[in-house]
Amino acid sequence: MGVLSTLVRGLVRGADRMSEFTSKRGSRTHNKGRGARPTGLRLPSRKFLSIKAMIPEFVVPHLEGFKLRPYVSYRTPKGTEAPVTAQRLFDEVVAPQVKKDFEEGTFSKDQLEKYGFEPTQEGKLLKLYPKNYVR
Amino acid sequence: MRLTALLSMAARVIVPKDYRYGTNRPWTAAAKRMNPPGKKRRKVFVEPMEPEDWSVVKGDMVEILAGKDKGKQGKVIQVFRRRNWVILEGLNTHHRYVGKSTDYRGTYIATEAPLLLRDVALIDPSDRRPTQIDWKFTEEGERVRVSGRTGRIIPKPVVERRDGIVPQQWKDGPKDTSPEDTLEKTYVPSLKTLEEEVMEKLGIQENSRHQRSYWY
């Protein structure tokens, strides 16, 4: 109401047509959701069947003896670690193994899977691309 | 469109080329009252200065060389680069009434007026007298302000945080991680994603896979 009165005072007149129509607007009987994912099926008998697999479950490890806390102290100076890039990951994880195998003579281009190479993302639960899990 | 256009107009101010900058920020109501869109005022000439020659920083101690409070030293509160102004704390003040209404005469307060950069000089910390400043490089390659008379380096003032927290004197609360725990390097690079590592550690086995889906 206050907004409308300022609008009336200014140059424009009428209802605000351009704002998003959320579940807070409209009549009491107007049921509009806010984008929650369904957790079951609507049966033909108009009942709702809840499926356990569709309900998200939080997996929290045991936090006994965990030293990190929600906030960081103001006294902490800036860190000196370099950001983790794909190049750095390769250099630290894959390159030593490849080098060792090459020196032993067991390196072959067809057996790159043992160093972590994935030719396709098919069959994986958590694909790298397209990302099929929530981060 | 009407409401959102109104809101976006209020957020960012488009200022004309011959805008006269005052002590009020251009998006405030007071500045809009003094500089309405159609006004044209006499052009105010600002001494041209290279941006790298600017030597006064907010928080510095400076001395006034000309004006009502000549010879007094004060701390810089605000700097206006557009008009070569500095405002010092409690100096070069005039008094005015604030918050007037029909039956109340208003509160009589002292307001600082801006001083031109030409009329102030930085203070040498060793003898506490005004000096001319040169910009020079140290052995390490840092660009510092050096006093012309004594040759002493004038350090940059410590920037106080707006919330008043001094990091070195901070006392950790129950939800704060200590600096030692924060800086501990526990990262072990591996080719697994975080989710895969957690699943492996907790022994979760998931054999079902997602249904094939497409989007465009």
Side-chain angles (χ1 to χ4, degrees), chain B residues 63 73 121-131 147 149:
Chain B
E63 180 165 323
Q73 299 183 352
L122 275 168
I123 290 172
D124 195 336
S126 48
D127 52 0
R128 281 181 286 144
R129 271 174 31 239
T131 55
S147 141
R149 194 178 50 233

Side-chain angles (χ1 to χ4, degrees), chain A residues 3 7 13 16 18 59 67 69 71 73-75 81 89 92-93 115 122-123 125-126 132-133 135, chain B residues 1-3 6 161 165 167 170 172 174-177 181 184-185 189 191 195 202 209-210 212:
Chain A
V3 172
L7 285 179
R13 243 206 293 148
D16 177 20
M18 287 302 179
V59 175
K67 286 181 284 190
R69 288 183 199 172
Y71 301 96
S73 166
Y74 277 107
R75 288 178 287 137
E81 276 257 321
L89 254 185
E92 288 181 16
V93 180
Y115 307 117
E122 295 295 313
L125 178 62
L126 300 161
N132 61 357
Y133 55 96
R135 276 226 140 239
Chain B
M1 223 289 269
R2 296 147 178 179
L3 179 63
L6 209 67
R161 286 173 59 114
I165 295 173
W170 176 253
D172 289 343
K175 290 191 186 173
D176 281 324
T177 333
D181 288 336
E184 217 179 290
K185 290 192 180 166
L191 293 176
E195 288 81 8
L202 294 179
R209 293 282 179 265
H210 290 281
R212 230 201 140 86

Side-chain angles (χ1 to χ4, degrees), chain B:
Chain B
M1 223 289 269
R2 296 147 178 179
L3 179 63
T4 43
L6 209 67
L7 290 174
S8 64
M9 264 154 42
R12 197 176 74 83
V13 209
I14 296 154
V15 131
K17 244 202 211 152
D18 52 354
Y19 185 82
R20 179 177 279 229
Y21 287 89
T23 41
N24 301 302
R25 311 266 161 99
W27 55 85
T28 44
K32 284 183 189 156
R33 209 185 311 131
M34 293 229 283
N35 290 337
K39 67 87 213 152
K40 276 204 186 346
R41 287 197 63 174
R42 231 170 273 183
K43 186 179 154 110
V44 50
F45 294 98
V46 172
E47 187 189 334
M49 232 175 98
E50 295 297 313
E52 50 263 15
D53 291 339
W54 189 276
S55 38
V56 180
V57 178
K58 176 175 156 176
D60 268 338
M61 286 298 284
V62 294
E63 180 165 323
I64 305 176
L65 307 171
K68 198 168 61 152
D69 292 334
K70 178 172 170 176
K72 293 193 188 164
Q73 299 183 352
K75 192 165 85 150
V76 173
I77 300 289
Q78 256 187 305
V79 156
F80 296 84
R81 295 285 291 260
R82 291 232 181 221
R83 290 193 65 168
N84 289 358
W85 275 346
V86 285
I87 294 194
L88 309 191
E89 195 176 14
L91 292 175
N92 198 22
T93 55
H94 55 272
H95 295 263
R96 62 181 174 126
Y97 285 99
V98 160
K100 274 204 294 267
S101 62
T102 37
D103 35 354
Y104 178 51
R105 63 168 172 231
T107 328
Y108 195 60
I109 57 164
T111 319
E112 300 93 354
L115 284 153
L116 270 175
L117 195 66
R118 187 160 263 282
D119 300 332
V120 297
L122 275 168
I123 290 172
D124 195 336
S126 48
D127 52 0
R128 281 181 286 144
R129 271 174 31 239
T131 55
Q132 299 306 311
I133 298 295
D134 299 314
W135 280 99
K136 293 203 179 127
F137 288 93
T138 54
E139 298 276 316
E140 290 91 35
E142 209 188 311
R143 190 162 178 257
V144 285
R145 306 177 288 188
V146 172
S147 141
R149 194 178 50 233
T150 39
R152 193 203 189 280
I153 296 174
I154 295 172
K156 268 214 168 132
V158 174
V159 179
E160 283 153 13
R161 286 173 59 114
R162 264 220 192 143
D163 42 20
I165 295 173
V166 180
Q168 289 313 310
Q169 296 165 12
W170 176 253
K171 285 200 192 25
D172 289 343
K175 290 191 186 173
D176 281 324
T177 333
S178 64
E180 302 83 36
D181 288 336
T182 328
L183 294 173
E184 217 179 290
K185 290 192 180 166
T186 52
Y187 175 58
V188 172
S190 82
L191 293 176
K192 290 192 186 297
T193 57
L194 175 75
E195 288 81 8
E196 284 171 2
E197 266 192 47
V198 167
M199 273 175 70
E200 202 183 331
K201 208 152 189 207
L202 294 179
I204 301 168
Q205 263 145 32
E206 184 68 52
N207 294 321
S208 63
R209 293 282 179 265
H210 290 281
Q211 287 277 42
R212 230 201 140 86
S213 76
Y214 301 89
W215 69 90
Y216 303 96

